[in-house]
Amino acid sequence: MDGDPAVILRRVRRWLRFFLVCLVLSGLTAFPLETETRWLVDLATGPAAPLTDHFPAATAWFERVQTGIAETDDRYPFLAYGTDWLAFAHLVIAAAFWGPLKDPVRNIWVIRWAVLACGAVIPLALICGPLRGIPLAWRFIDMSFGVFGAIPLLIVLRALRPLERSFQERLAAN
C-alpha cells in the first residue's frame, strides 16, 4: 500500500463513506417495514419466483413476518415506535462518523468502537434470536450484518496504522 498520507486518507475516507451510506440506508429501511415486507413476500411468491419452489420454509417465514408486522401495525401501531427508534439510532451513529471523516486519526476511537458494536451483533443474535423464535438461518443473516459492517472498518484501521504511529510520535516529541 502507498505510504503517502494523502493517498491513505483518501482511501480511508472512501471506506468510511461507504460504511456511512450502508448505515444510513440500514436505518432508513427500518421505517417502512410493513411496505418492505409486503414487497418481499410479493417478490418471493410472485410469478417465476424461484424462492417458493426451492425454499418453501423461507417463503413461509417471510409470509409469517409480513403478517405479524401488518397485524401488529393494525392493532398496536405504537409498537412500530420501537423500530422508529432503531432507525434513529442508526442515523445518530452515522452522525458520529462526522469526526472520523474529518480527522480519522484523532477520531480513531469512533472506528474502534464501531468495530466492537459490529462484533456485538453476533452474541445478540445468538442469545436473543432463539428467545424470540427467529430461525437459525435468519440469525446468520443478522450476524452477517455485523461481519460485513466490520470489514470496511477493519480495512480503515489497518490503513490508519502508519498515520496513527506518526501522530503518536509527534505527540511524544512535544
Side-chain angles (χ1 to χ4, degrees), residues 4 15 21 27 68 75 85 107 110 114 118 126 134 139 150 152 160 167:
D4 178 15
W15 278 110
V21 166
R75 296 183 64 194
W85 279 104
N107 294 289
V110 174
C118 287
L126 291 173
I134 306 300
R139 284 182 259 157
L160 285 175
F167 179 75

Side-chain angles (χ1 to χ4, degrees), residues 78-146:
F78 55 87
L79 289 177
Y81 194 52
T83 55
D84 294 342
W85 279 104
L86 170 72
F88 176 75
H90 279 77
L91 300 175
V92 169
I93 292 167
F97 276 85
W98 183 256
L101 274 176
K102 287 297 192 187
D103 190 341
V105 176
R106 286 182 190 242
N107 294 289
I108 199 166
W109 68 271
V110 174
I111 301 163
R112 289 182 177 137
W113 169 82
V115 170
L116 289 173
C118 287
V121 168
I122 294 170
L124 178 80
L126 291 173
I127 294 167
C128 295
L131 295 174
R132 305 290 186 213
I134 306 300
L136 181 62
W138 199 263
R139 284 182 259 157
F140 280 110
I141 292 169
D142 289 341
M143 288 185 281
S144 76
F145 282 93

Side-chain angles (χ1 to χ4, degrees), residues 4-170:
D4 178 15
V7 172
I8 293 171
L9 285 173
R10 270 196 305 277
R11 183 172 184 233
V12 161
R13 288 184 175 120
R14 193 170 34 246
W15 278 110
L16 288 174
R17 282 187 203 99
F18 171 75
F19 180 80
L20 269 168
V21 166
C22 292
L23 191 58
V24 167
L25 289 175
S26 179
L28 292 177
T29 61
F31 286 114
L33 287 181
E34 186 173 354
T35 301
E36 291 168 340
T37 55
R38 185 177 60 249
W39 289 345
L40 180 62
V41 168
D42 290 347
L43 181 68
T45 61
L51 199 61
T52 304
D53 296 335
H54 300 295
F55 303 101
T59 303
W61 174 250
F62 294 158
E63 290 172 334
R64 182 173 182 215
V65 169
Q66 195 278 326
T67 300
I69 289 173
E71 289 178 4
T72 301
D73 282 354
D74 284 345
R75 296 183 64 194
Y76 312 103
F78 55 87
L79 289 177
Y81 194 52
T83 55
D84 294 342
W85 279 104
L86 170 72
F88 176 75
H90 279 77
L91 300 175
V92 169
I93 292 167
F97 276 85
W98 183 256
L101 274 176
K102 287 297 192 187
D103 190 341
V105 176
R106 286 182 190 242
N107 294 289
I108 199 166
W109 68 271
V110 174
I111 301 163
R112 289 182 177 137
W113 169 82
V115 170
L116 289 173
C118 287
V121 168
I122 294 170
L124 178 80
L126 291 173
I127 294 167
C128 295
L131 295 174
R132 305 290 186 213
I134 306 300
L136 181 62
W138 199 263
R139 284 182 259 157
F140 280 110
I141 292 169
D142 289 341
M143 288 185 281
S144 76
F145 282 93
V147 172
F148 289 121
I151 290 172
L153 298 173
L154 291 170
I155 291 169
V156 164
L157 288 175
R158 183 173 181 185
L160 285 175
R161 281 184 194 153
L163 298 181
E164 185 182 24
R165 274 193 298 271
S166 173
F167 179 75
Q168 295 297 334
E169 290 167 2
R170 282 194 318 268

